[in-house]
Amino acid sequence: MPRITKEDKARNRDNIVAAAGRMFRSQGIDSVGIADLMKAAGLTHGGFYNHFPSKDALAVEVCNSAFAASHAAMNQLIEQGTDESGTPMTKIVQEYLSTGHRDSPEAGCPSAALVGDAWRQGEEIQSAYAAGVQGYLCGFAAEIRLEAAARGEELPETEVRDQAVRLLSEMVGAMVLARAVHQANPTLSDEILESSRRNLFSDPAAERTG
């Protein structure tokens, strides 16, 4: 029987994390069994414990990996700066509250996809989720501060933080609601996204974020 190399083992682990990321976000952590997960990863059931001591440990890694990818996408938009399509915060909101994001939870941001799971899980998974949320808030706050400075404003740190928290909360809430009603009432789902995108920038306080 051929010996598994370190490269093979690392690749198998990556495949497990990738499959779990898709399945946890689309089906929920508790709804995914290890056997189905390993099948989706192209591996045998028994091999799971060669990589992770428990499903919770895998869920922590999925949270960390998924949020890292989302933060990277956010940072990429921030690095692009303001252009004809708007400020970085405008583009972040538009991409987050898009129908494409709504319709692809398995590939989307874990902030919305795992929000219903996080509170049911143990402290380790909640901590990983909380760290991901904090990463978003720090990124938002830094950009809010920069955009205010470009307008000649110097916002108090408490206001910057409040804007970041409110913005993320409204984005996640709108996405969760839009997904919850999409199959039964797609028109309502679209309305939630469209209204949220519009109102985030019509409110005076929100306008200062982009």
Side-chain angles (χ1 to χ4, degrees):
M1 197 169 181
R3 184 176 179 180
I4 296 178
T5 66
K6 289 182 179 179
E7 291 78 12
D8 290 335
K9 186 172 183 179
R11 190 180 307 111
N12 289 344
R13 181 186 177 91
D14 288 344
N15 288 341
I16 295 169
V17 173
R22 294 189 300 270
M23 296 175 76
F24 288 172
R25 281 180 281 192
S26 63
Q27 301 175 38
I29 296 172
D30 291 337
S31 299
V32 177
I34 291 176
D36 290 337
L37 167 61
M38 293 299 282
K39 183 178 179 180
L43 300 166
T44 60
H45 183 183
F48 176 84
Y49 294 100
N50 293 328
H51 300 278
F52 298 96
S54 65
K55 196 170 102 172
D56 280 1
L58 171 60
V60 168
E61 183 149 343
V62 165
C63 270
N64 291 335
S65 176
F67 270 112
S70 291
H71 294 161
M74 172 186 67
N75 291 333
Q76 186 175 23
L77 289 175
I78 289 174
E79 288 169 6
Q80 290 173 4
T82 299
D83 55 28
E84 64 278 359
S85 61
T87 65
M89 290 309 306
T90 302
K91 290 182 280 188
I92 287 169
V93 170
Q94 289 173 339
E95 289 204 6
Y96 194 100
L97 296 178
S98 66
T99 55
H101 185 205
R102 177 197 62 197
D103 297 344
S104 302
E106 73 283 354
C109 179
S111 58
L114 296 179
V115 68
D117 286 279
W119 71 273
R120 296 186 180 93
Q121 306 303 316
E123 185 176 350
E124 284 190 330
I125 297 173
Q126 283 196 15
S127 294
Y129 185 90
V133 168
Q134 288 283 18
Y136 258 116
L137 294 176
C138 289
F140 283 8
E143 181 57 26
I144 289 167
R145 200 178 298 113
L146 282 175
E147 292 183 15
R151 297 189 301 270
E153 300 178 23
E154 185 176 350
L155 300 179
E157 284 305 305
T158 53
E159 183 176 346
V160 170
R161 178 72 175 187
D162 283 348
Q163 285 192 28
V165 169
R166 191 183 75 170
L167 185 58
L168 181 62
S169 299
E170 292 182 10
M171 287 165 57
V172 172
M175 182 54 63
V176 170
L177 286 175
R179 284 177 176 163
V181 302
H182 183 222
Q183 287 190 351
N185 194 332
T187 300
L188 174 59
S189 181
D190 288 345
E191 180 186 9
I192 290 168
L193 294 180
E194 292 167 6
S195 177
S196 297
R197 287 195 304 267
R198 182 173 61 251
N199 289 327
L200 277 171
F201 299 113
S202 64
D203 183 276
E207 280 181 356
R208 285 186 289 201
T209 70

